[in-house]
Amino acid sequence: MKVKIVNRSAYPTPAYATAQSAGMDLKADIKEPLTLAPLERALVPTGLYIALPEGTEAQVRPRSGLAAKHGISVLNAPGTIDADYRGEIKVILVNLSNESFVVNPGERIAQMVVARYEQVEWDEVELLDETDRGE
């Protein structure tokens, strides 16, 4: 799938690390280090703007290494970027650890996965069909 991207960051356009990677790393497009105190959150710019095809979304997810080693996560994980959004991609990072964490310029802060989705049309009924699982 081709996706238009404007890269106004100081870093290369995101790419898949391996042939089987589902996500691409997003980097902090900041001029100087940003310190996140325990339980603090910050909106971190990436310098990236995208135009997704209709019927797709980009999901912004935490990086497992930052989460496991430092307690850094994406607050609204997964964050959704809709196909009609044209603003800069920014990541809401949160420090869930007991120690301050420094985000350095160009640091990999999250990963982005592009996925297809379907919109539903509700069919209101009085009862749902029974299943083995039930309630």
Side-chain angles (χ1 to χ4, degrees):
M1 149 187 347
K2 289 207 177 241
V3 175
K4 293 178 183 176
I5 185 168
V6 173
N7 184 354
R8 294 189 179 139
S9 79
Y11 308 102
T13 300
Y16 295 101
T18 69
Q20 300 297 312
S21 294
M24 297 172 271
D25 287 332
L26 298 175
K27 295 182 178 179
D29 188 39
I30 53 179
K31 302 272 188 247
E32 52 192 49
L34 168 69
T35 301
L36 284 175
L39 299 179
E40 187 177 12
R41 62 187 177 271
L43 193 58
V44 183
T46 66
L48 302 174
Y49 303 75
I50 59 176
L52 293 166
E54 188 175 331
T56 64
E57 67 164 328
Q59 299 173 359
V60 179
R61 303 175 179 181
R63 291 192 64 245
S64 57
L66 282 180
K69 295 175 189 171
H70 304 288
I72 303 302
S73 190
V74 174
L75 190 58
N76 61 328
T80 294
I81 301 166
D82 293 310
D84 58 353
Y85 177 70
R86 294 295 181 269
E88 181 179 10
I89 296 171
K90 296 181 181 180
V91 179
I92 306 171
L93 285 185
V94 62
N95 181 354
L96 299 175
S97 77
N98 296 324
E99 299 176 9
S100 291
F101 179 80
V102 177
V103 179
N104 291 301
E107 184 161 357
R108 297 178 299 154
I109 56 171
Q111 58 180 327
M112 181 173 66
V113 174
V114 176
R116 295 192 183 281
Y117 68 86
E118 291 190 41
Q119 289 187 331
V120 301
E121 182 179 321
W122 296 114
D123 181 14
E124 289 192 40
V125 296
E126 294 297 321
L127 294 171
L128 300 176
D129 57 313
E130 294 288 327
T131 65
D132 289 339
R133 180 177 178 181
E135 293 180 21

